């Protein structure tokens, strides 16, 4: 591989970066080649020492995703950050997917449970009110009271789950940052 | 070969330490590091970009005698305080690891 081939491959793999970012990266590597060639190194050797352009591009991309996830903290950018950082190593991948997937499943299950309980309580509330005229008013009043109580419990539960989900997202960010810098300072600046 | 993630973490400390001595351009930095540590030289550039985005280093262009201007990297105050923390952690880590694995073989 020579300089042009290397830069072409790098640029081709940086398609997901913004044009400005890509230009800057390309300029950095072009400068590197110029300096190395001036020192009498041939382009082939320089390419070999730089390593696989695809891997370098992946590194940039995973970094960008982590930065985005750090600033936005949404489920979508979280997922992309997990995928990008996992792309760096297989063991990280399996671990990240297991941890994150398990967390999402638990949160989703809780979410569904509370939502359906809420819906059921709401239906019971309406049902009780509708039956008010036809049946024993005292029993129906009890029904209304119980379903209203259940409904408010569900609302509290729902808020709790949202809090839990936010906490989990933050935890994920810590985990991702940790895999990025295993020993040095992973948790210091987050 | 040592775990790649481990190396990457140490690399950050190396870059910050080299920049503490004086401002350097990309090639200089890479050459200085690869003289001492076996790495894929291309991985330093993504690291430099991250250090810049996090505000640990800043860049400026300076004319060179031969050819186009070069991009120089300079350690910021934030970078210096981070470097101190990393350095301390690194020393503690090394001492800890050495006391577990024992250093006799290489003495």
């Amino acid at each position: 591989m020579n300089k042009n081939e290397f830069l072409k491959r790098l640029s081709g793999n940086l398609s997901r970066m913004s044009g400005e970012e890509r230009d800057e990266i390309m300029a950095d590597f072009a400068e590197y080649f110029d300096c190395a060639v001036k020192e009498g190194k041939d382009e082939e050797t320089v390419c070999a020492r730089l390593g696989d352009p695809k891997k370098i591009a992946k590194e940039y991309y995973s970094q960008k995703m982590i930065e985005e996830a750090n600033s936005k903290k949404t489920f979508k950018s979280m997922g992309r950050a997990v995928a990008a950082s996992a792309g760096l190593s297989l063991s990280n991948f399996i671990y990240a997917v297991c941890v994150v997937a398990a967390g999402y499943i638990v949160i989703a299950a809780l979410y569904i449970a509370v939502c359906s309980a809420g819906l059921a309580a709401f239906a019971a509330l309406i049902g009780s009110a509708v039956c008010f005229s036809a049946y024993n008013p005292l029993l129906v009043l009890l029904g209304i009271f119980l379903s209203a109580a259940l409904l408010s419990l569900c609302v509290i539960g729902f808020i709790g789950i949202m809090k839990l989900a936010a906490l989990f997202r933050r935890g994920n960010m810590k985990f991702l940052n940790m895999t990025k810098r295993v020993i040095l300072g992973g948790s210091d600046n987050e | 070969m040592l775990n790649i993630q481990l190396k990457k973490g140490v690399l950050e400390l190396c870059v910050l330490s080299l920049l503490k001595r004086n401002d350097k351009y990309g090639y200089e930095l890479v050459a200085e590091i690869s003289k001492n540590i076996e790495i894929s030289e291309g991985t330093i550039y993504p690291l430099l970009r991250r250090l810049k985005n996090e505000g640990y280093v800043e860049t400026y262009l300076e004319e060179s005698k031969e050819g186009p201007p070069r991009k120089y990297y300079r350690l910021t105050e934030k970078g210096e305080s981070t470097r101190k923390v990393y350095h301390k952690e690194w020393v503690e880590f090394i001492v800890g690891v050495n006391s577990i694995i024992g250093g006799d073989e290489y003495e």
Side-chain angles (χ1 to χ4, degrees), chain B residues 28-73:
Chain B
E28 229 180 337
L29 259 175
V30 175
E32 197 74 32
I33 290 172
S34 62
K35 200 167 72 188
N36 298 293
I37 311 173
E38 176 80 32
I39 45 151
S40 282
E41 298 182 353
T43 55
I44 303 220
Y45 280 96
L47 170 66
L48 285 172
R49 181 176 175 275
R50 180 159 66 78
L51 293 177
K52 188 183 166 188
N53 287 350
E54 290 183 2
Y56 296 159
V57 305
E58 51 196 16
T59 60
Y60 60 95
L61 287 176
E62 198 170 282
E63 299 295 327
S64 67
K65 281 161 240 154
E66 340 70 35
R70 284 170 180 157
K71 192 203 249 179
Y72 276 80
Y73 295 83

